[in-house]
Amino acid sequence: MSFRKVPGFQPLRATAAACLLTLAGAVPAFAQDAINIGAVLSLTGANATVGEDVRRGVMLGVEHVNAKGGVLGKKFNVIVEDSGGNPTTALNAARKLATVDKVPVVMGEYSSGITLPMAQYLVKEGVTHLNIASSSTKVRALGATSFSLVGLENFGNKFSAEDTYALGYRRVAMIAPNNAYGQGVLEGYKADFEKLGGKIVTEVLYTAGQSTYRRELQQMARSTPDAYVYTAYGQESAVINREAEELGLRKTPWYAILMSMSLSDTPPAIANGQLGMELGSVQGPAGKAYADAFAAKYKEGFKTSYTGYGYDAVLMTAAAIEKAKATTAPAIQVALKDLGTAGFPGVTGTIRFDQDRQRVDPPYDKLKFESGKLAPR
């Protein structure tokens, strides 16, 4: 993981840095009622590894906020709902959070194909939506109450295209999931890669949930590429990687877009040697402090790059409520815009929003998988 210096590092009680650098010695006294926000995460299903990693980050954020006195003198709490990796379940979870729990903010989901319909509902209801993992550029059009703490795929596609071209790949075969995210990555990467002079010799959009992807892999192999470029969700990626190994395709380089997602469920022996890129995980002193606090609490490091974005969503929401001195969705949205204009010092770097409330200048890392783990290259 790479670490960058976080500008504007200030000891304010609601910043990520302050919460991380303060030990929770005494238990603060809270008013009887709590301030609740919501989260919809994939805690079961194909993306459960990522969902649990993010949940841990979210709960660590709650712990750190409450250790600093909570929000507006009250205990801060996140009600977490499981999407099961299913759009209908996610929508029902969002509806429950908005109408039963009446939370002003909901973060999530993970897959863009799930995030988009869920967020459309939240925006329609005026509930604040925080995008902490989905990179489809369609997120930009959700509406004025949706905010992205992650970079959208136009940034990631350009980064990965330049990286693969610099590695010497000129003819690549590509596979991605057949949904909003995968379509956007394939189209965007192809456009950026071919601008540089490269060529996509085979492009495949796979159907989620298959027991085998041999047909798709054999189709890609027939084009004899310089490299295979792919992005896939954890358990599906594990099947793709295993079958690529069995078919002898790993003799050719494999490059993963969003490595921690693509390799989260792949055995290390099969993943070894892969190169790729990732959302910038944790940055600077605040990021290192977060990584240390995470490892201390959970007795292991985080498995994906997404956990810090969940943590930042909690800390930024708490800061917005303090700034607004109110818990209504409209007041929080105004405060979030102000924080995003000034730059919020998060563990994933300084978070700034453009005019559409989308993160600008998001961090990315160049990684390799070796000795059983992801490492900088």
Side-chain angles (χ1 to χ4, degrees):
M1 303 297 182
S2 65
F3 298 101
R4 299 179 186 175
K5 184 177 180 181
V6 180
F9 192 70
Q10 302 175 29
L12 299 176
R13 67 173 178 173
T15 65
C19 288
L20 281 162
L21 297 177
T22 301
L23 295 176
V27 178
F30 297 113
Q32 187 172 2
D33 54 333
I35 292 176
N36 293 318
I37 65 171
V40 179
L41 307 174
S42 292
L43 300 179
T44 56
N47 300 315
T49 299
V50 178
E52 173 58 20
D53 220 32
V54 174
R55 187 197 67 80
R56 289 179 169 189
V58 166
M59 301 320 294
L60 187 58
V62 170
E63 180 180 307
H64 287 168
V65 169
N66 286 330
K68 289 291 294 178
V71 178
L72 300 180
K74 298 181 179 181
K75 184 178 179 180
F76 195 54
N77 182 51
V78 178
I79 302 170
V80 179
E81 299 288 340
D82 180 17
S83 72
N86 180 281
T88 301
T89 306
L91 183 58
N92 289 337
R95 186 175 289 114
K96 181 256 185 186
L97 288 168
T99 61
V100 178
D101 300 307
K102 299 188 183 302
V103 298
V105 176
V106 174
M107 65 182 78
E109 206 256 354
Y110 172 63
S111 166
S112 297
I114 299 175
T115 296
L116 290 168
M118 182 193 81
Q120 286 167 354
Y121 165 77
L122 292 170
V123 169
K124 181 181 177 182
E125 295 299 313
V127 177
T128 311
H129 168 243
L130 298 183
N131 173 31
I132 56 173
S134 296
S135 61
S136 171
T137 53
K138 293 180 180 179
V139 170
R140 181 178 292 276
L142 282 170
T145 67
S146 180
F147 299 76
S148 286
L149 277 66
V150 297
L152 299 186
E153 62 199 19
N154 54 302
F155 292 105
N157 291 336
K158 185 173 186 293
F159 183 92
S160 53
E162 290 175 349
D163 190 25
T164 49
Y165 195 83
L167 287 168
Y169 308 152
R170 296 296 181 267
R171 302 175 67 259
V172 306
M174 190 169 185
I175 185 169
N178 190 12
N179 60 14
Y181 162 70
Q183 293 163 13
V185 169
L186 193 151
E187 293 169 7
Y189 173 88
K190 178 180 179 181
D192 285 321
F193 189 65
E194 293 188 344
K195 282 179 186 176
L196 296 170
K199 182 175 177 58
I200 307 298
V201 293
T202 305
E203 52 190 82
V204 174
L205 289 170
Y206 75 79
T207 300
Q210 295 179 192
S211 60
T212 179
Y213 294 97
R214 286 179 178 270
R215 181 180 62 82
E216 290 86 346
L217 291 169
Q218 289 167 339
Q219 177 186 349
M220 296 166 69
R222 284 194 289 270
S223 61
T224 60
D226 298 337
Y228 294 93
V229 174
Y230 80 108
T231 189
Y233 300 118
Q235 293 178 16
E236 294 157 9
S237 181
V239 177
I240 290 171
N241 277 306
R242 174 176 54 79
E243 293 185 333
E245 180 87 2
E246 292 169 353
L247 291 168
L249 305 188
R250 288 297 308 282
K251 296 174 183 177
T252 301
W254 277 68
Y255 181 98
I257 296 176
L258 302 181
M259 284 195 86
S260 66
M261 172 183 80
S262 300
L263 295 177
S264 62
D265 295 278
T266 297
I270 295 176
N272 194 49
Q274 281 198 29
L275 304 179
M277 57 80 72
E278 185 55 85
L279 287 171
S281 179
V282 291
Q283 314 291 320
K288 186 177 187 308
Y290 170 68
D292 291 344
F294 189 101
K297 181 174 180 62
Y298 298 112
K299 312 307 179 188
E300 63 179 351
F302 35 81
K303 298 178 181 178
T304 73
S305 293
Y306 297 92
T307 175
Y309 294 87
Y311 180 91
D312 278 348
V314 171
L315 272 290
M316 195 170 186
T317 301
I321 294 171
E322 286 281 358
K323 181 178 179 62
K325 293 182 173 53
T327 59
T328 63
I332 293 170
Q333 290 152 19
V334 171
L336 283 170
K337 289 177 185 177
D338 290 344
L339 291 173
T341 298
F344 181 80
V347 301
T348 62
T350 300
I351 300 169
R352 289 190 174 87
F353 296 139
D354 63 16
Q355 68 276 10
D356 294 324
R357 307 154 313 283
Q358 307 302 306
R359 186 166 182 172
V360 298
D361 193 26
Y364 293 97
D365 293 328
K366 297 178 182 180
L367 303 175
K368 58 185 175 181
F369 194 95
E370 63 178 13
S371 303
K373 62 182 180 180
L374 292 172
R377 58 176 166 88

